[in-house]
Amino acid sequence: MASFVIEGGHRLSGEIHPQGAKNEVLQIICATLLTAEEVTVDNIPDILDVNNLIQLMREMGVTVSKKGIDSYSFKAENVDLAYLESDKFLKKCSSLRGSVMLIGPMVARFGKALISKPGGDKIGRRRLDTHFLGIQNLGADFRYDEGRGIYEITADRLQGNYMLLDEASVTGTANIVMAAVLAKGTTTIYNAACEPYLQQLCRMLNRMGARISGIASNLLTIEGVEELHGTQHTVLPDMIEVGSFIGMAAMTKSEITIKNVSYENLGIIPESFRRLGIKLEQRGDDIYVPAQEVYEIESFIDGSIMTIADAPWPGLTPDLLSVMLVVATQAKGSVLIHQKMFESRLFFVDKLIDMGAQIILCDPHRAVVIGHNHGFKLRGARLTSPDIRAGIALLIAAMSAEGTSTISNIEQIDRGYQNIEGRLNAIGARITRI
């Protein structure tokens, strides 16, 4: 098991490029199963979750070719349907959260999908009801095989339908959309997720011949077509990395430029960091973060304590709350961090408290952070990464701390961040992988 050893207290300086968006590319790769023609995808990040899904596609019989450093083509012409029912395939799915998005394309194109309960982060309950109910609304039959612990989904031909989703699940919406594009008739999805990554998926499917309208809204209308064809797609920069780098600059009092961020797709993220007192400027499609000795958390107009909470898009993504919580530990002022969507993501704060942070964990969803105003530095510590987002938050804390820290279980960080130590060391960090 690998670890990071971080020598804290070093300022960063220079330019850094965000990788391709993990949450988008997992959807896009699954969508290549909807056609027998070649689909080329550019700006694919070299991270564990994505590489595992690409390898799974190869084992399914998809012809995968590497076209460049971050470019792959996928041709699902001869998918091995027998392999899709094997225990080996199901075991692979159970270790990869993104595998749940194979259901929609497989049922739509092949009439059948088997999937085991997918894995991923240990961040609390992540139910699959939205995925299953949505695809059932399209006429699929679901059966749970208790002996094998798998879901079997079958449909002769999916039929378009109206549905009101019980939650605006991003992966749930993606799965339903991918199923509906080949269904007979019209599908209407209300309370659909509308994140930029889902918009990207819908636009790619339209280039492949799908008929999806209402993109970027929470009301999608999909007219089913007989078949889709190949296309080329470029993945957006990862908004979570962009936010992580903003927080990193503030915590280490550093001046950095984050290049090619696709600013128009960042939504409320820049403004959320400004509410923590962090200065940043849009320069073309880059974000410039100046070195700041002090950043002061805003309060609401009536003087009450600032609350930062996650919400479905265009609200703040839950994936950045761990970073914002860490950044607040060195701010001037106090803030309530409210993680509404996952009940275990704040449990890593005990590690920050051990480093000297002043945090009150109110319950599994809320934490009050009392900022040190850089008057008291965090202390180096031995840490363990519980999930991808807490992992990068702990890395930021360690980079700003006094002394040396060790973070174990960094495979969790590798799942979502490409060569993170190499890219950060290039701008002044001191991180060693052991």
Side-chain angles (χ1 to χ4, degrees):
M1 188 177 288
S3 301
F4 281 148
V5 177
I6 304 102
E7 187 181 303
H10 295 282
R11 296 199 183 201
L12 311 177
S13 179
E15 298 179 348
I16 192 164
H17 292 256
Q19 67 188 27
K22 166 185 176 283
N23 290 344
E24 176 186 342
V25 78
L26 294 175
Q27 299 175 26
I28 295 299
I29 291 173
C30 292
T32 64
L33 286 172
L34 286 165
T35 178
E37 297 184 18
E38 186 175 73
V39 177
T40 301
V41 185
D42 299 322
N43 199 28
I44 292 181
D46 182 12
I47 56 177
L48 206 55
D49 274 10
V50 172
N51 293 339
N52 285 342
L53 182 59
I54 291 172
Q55 182 57 30
L56 182 63
M57 296 288 279
R58 285 192 177 104
E59 293 173 11
M60 291 166 63
V62 177
T63 302
V64 181
S65 303
K66 189 165 185 178
K67 300 290 190 180
I69 293 174
D70 60 2
S71 179
Y72 287 82
S73 70
F74 302 85
K75 192 172 185 182
E77 187 177 19
N78 299 302
V79 175
D80 184 352
L81 299 180
Y83 175 72
L84 301 185
E85 298 188 28
S86 69
D87 289 336
K88 185 179 178 183
F89 169 73
L90 295 165
K91 185 177 179 182
K92 288 248 184 183
C93 291
S94 68
S95 63
L96 180 61
R97 180 77 193 176
S99 65
V100 72
M101 287 181 289
L102 295 170
I103 296 174
M106 290 196 300
V107 174
R109 185 162 165 224
F110 306 117
K112 186 174 184 179
L114 270 72
I115 195 100
S116 52
K117 188 177 180 181
D121 287 329
K122 302 295 184 283
I123 55 174
R125 185 167 170 263
R126 303 174 80 177
R127 62 193 185 88
L128 299 176
D129 303 51
T130 305
H131 300 250
F132 290 176
L133 291 172
I135 296 172
Q136 276 182 305
N137 279 333
L138 298 175
D141 292 321
F142 271 70
R143 188 174 67 86
Y144 181 64
D145 185 334
E146 196 168 341
R148 296 179 72 190
I150 61 170
Y151 300 96
E152 183 178 347
I153 308 101
T154 56
D156 291 333
R157 175 76 192 269
L158 295 174
Q159 179 70 46
N161 200 357
Y162 169 85
M163 62 189 82
L164 173 59
L165 303 188
D166 64 333
E167 63 170 353
S169 164
V170 179
T171 54
T173 303
N175 230 342
I176 298 164
V177 166
M178 288 188 283
V181 291
L182 293 181
K184 186 178 180 181
T186 300
T187 300
T188 304
I189 309 172
Y190 200 18
N191 195 30
C194 55
E195 271 78 354
Y197 304 147
L198 193 85
Q199 297 174 34
Q200 285 278 95
L201 172 68
C202 291
R203 292 187 182 108
M204 184 188 89
L205 292 172
N206 278 352
R207 290 196 302 275
M208 294 169 69
R211 296 176 182 171
I212 306 170
S213 58
I215 298 172
S217 78
N218 68 348
L219 180 61
L220 294 175
T221 302
I222 304 157
E223 295 176 42
V225 297
E226 289 295 322
E227 62 180 7
L228 299 181
H229 52 75
T231 191
Q232 184 276 335
H233 181 79
T234 300
V235 175
L236 287 174
D238 196 313
M239 67 172 76
I240 314 304
E241 266 215 344
V242 173
S244 300
F245 295 149
I246 294 170
M248 207 172 278
M251 281 286 279
T252 57
K253 304 180 183 178
S254 301
E255 176 187 4
I256 68 169
T257 300
I258 310 165
K259 300 291 290 182
N260 303 322
V261 300
S262 188
Y263 198 94
E264 71 274 15
N265 286 302
L266 293 179
I268 201 172
I269 290 172
E271 189 55 39
S272 297
F273 280 100
R274 289 189 181 104
R275 291 170 76 185
L276 292 179
I278 297 168
K279 295 175 184 174
L280 54 94
E281 300 173 22
Q282 179 185 0
R283 294 183 173 181
D285 202 30
D286 303 338
I287 289 178
Y288 169 72
V289 186
Q292 284 181 256
E293 294 299 317
V294 175
Y295 50 98
E296 184 172 358
I297 298 170
E298 295 178 0
S299 56
F300 288 118
I301 293 171
D302 63 359
S304 58
I305 186 172
M306 174 61 62
T307 299
I308 292 182
D310 57 341
W313 190 270
L316 181 64
T317 170
D319 285 347
L320 272 175
L321 283 192
S322 299
V323 170
M324 302 191 83
L325 187 150
V326 165
V327 172
T329 65
Q330 291 299 324
K332 182 180 179 181
S334 301
V335 64
L336 173 66
I337 302 292
H338 191 173
Q339 170 67 268
K340 297 176 182 177
M341 297 171 76
F342 302 108
E343 68 267 21
S344 301
R345 263 196 171 163
L346 296 183
F347 287 164
F348 81 103
V349 302
D350 62 337
K351 301 172 178 65
L352 298 174
I353 293 169
D354 289 343
M355 297 176 77
Q358 290 190 308
I359 303 170
I360 302 164
L361 186 60
C362 308
D363 55 44
H365 292 276
R366 296 177 302 159
V368 175
V369 185
I370 299 121
H372 288 313
N373 191 22
H374 285 300
F376 175 81
K377 284 194 171 185
L378 300 179
R379 299 182 296 268
R382 296 192 69 84
L383 308 164
T384 301
S385 172
D387 65 74
I388 299 175
R389 307 312 176 187
I392 201 70
L394 291 174
L395 181 61
I396 294 171
M399 289 168 64
S400 73
E402 226 167 30
T404 300
S405 299
T406 301
I407 303 178
S408 58
N409 195 31
I410 60 170
E411 288 80 8
Q412 288 287 354
I413 300 174
D414 289 338
R415 286 180 49 217
Y417 294 87
Q418 173 180 319
N419 185 26
I420 190 66
E421 77 275 21
R423 290 189 290 152
L424 294 178
N425 287 343
I427 59 172
R430 300 281 179 89
I431 305 168
T432 305
R433 180 185 291 260
I434 60 171

